[in-house]
Amino acid sequence: MAVKIRLKRMGKIRAPFYRVVVVDSRKRRDGAVIEEIGVYQPTENPSLIKIDSERAQYWLSVGAQPSDTVKQQLKITGDWQKFKGLPGAEGRLKVKDTVDVEAARKSAVDSVQNDAEKQRAAASAAKAAEAESTEEAGEEA
């Protein structure tokens, strides 16, 4: 049986995402698969490539042939270099900057609370200054 590592298309029209799958080469593109080993989402910026390195190494070692697209993705993640024993096994995969939502939310709440406290302090200082000026005006009369 000739085994290939290739992409299985998912998603809507004009919103594709792919699964990296191990499949018999005689099967159709979106047909039955042996194993799913990763995902590829080209519409994100940078493109999301997640491949289970251990499973990819196993399938490459038993003779599965990657398609051209999957081979490029394996080179980006560093799995191809690791399989071939070449330098650069760390890959060159760009990772999207992840924002810690909880920390961002907490810092936003803290900044709003600090601003509110400053406004209250300024308002109370203004009232105190106004009260002093009215007391001084009352003493002069």
Side-chain angles (χ1 to χ4, degrees):
M1 175 167 68
V3 178
K4 293 268 191 185
I5 302 174
R6 63 184 185 201
L7 298 178
K8 177 180 181 178
R9 191 180 196 281
M10 310 284 288
K12 302 181 203 175
I13 297 173
R14 294 182 199 83
F17 66 92
Y18 300 90
R19 291 188 180 158
V20 180
V21 295
V22 178
V23 65
D24 181 4
S25 64
R26 295 168 289 194
K27 297 286 184 179
R28 58 183 192 205
R29 181 189 72 181
D30 297 336
V33 300
I34 298 171
E35 182 179 1
E36 294 178 359
I37 61 171
V39 296
Y40 171 53
Q41 296 180 356
T43 56
E44 292 189 11
N45 189 12
S47 296
L48 172 70
I49 301 172
K50 281 187 186 177
I51 296 177
D52 184 359
S53 181
E54 183 178 313
R55 297 307 297 162
Q57 293 298 318
Y58 167 76
W59 283 108
L60 289 169
S61 69
V62 295
Q65 295 297 311
S67 67
D68 293 337
T69 308
V70 172
K71 190 179 210 180
Q72 289 302 314
Q73 292 174 359
L74 291 173
K75 286 180 181 179
I76 290 170
T77 60
D79 293 323
W80 186 254
Q81 291 90 326
K82 193 184 300 183
F83 171 67
K84 289 292 189 178
L86 300 171
E90 66 278 352
R92 59 182 193 275
L93 180 65
K94 293 180 184 174
V95 180
K96 183 187 288 188
D97 295 334
T98 56
V99 177
D100 187 9
V101 175
E102 191 62 34
R105 186 177 297 137
K106 185 175 181 179
S107 66
V109 168
D110 289 343
S111 67
V112 169
Q113 287 176 345
N114 290 339
D115 291 343
E117 288 175 14
K118 288 177 184 178
Q119 288 177 350
R120 283 189 215 117
S124 64
K127 284 183 182 180
E130 186 179 317
E132 280 184 26
S133 65
T134 55
E135 286 178 14
E136 290 177 7
E139 290 176 10
E140 290 179 5

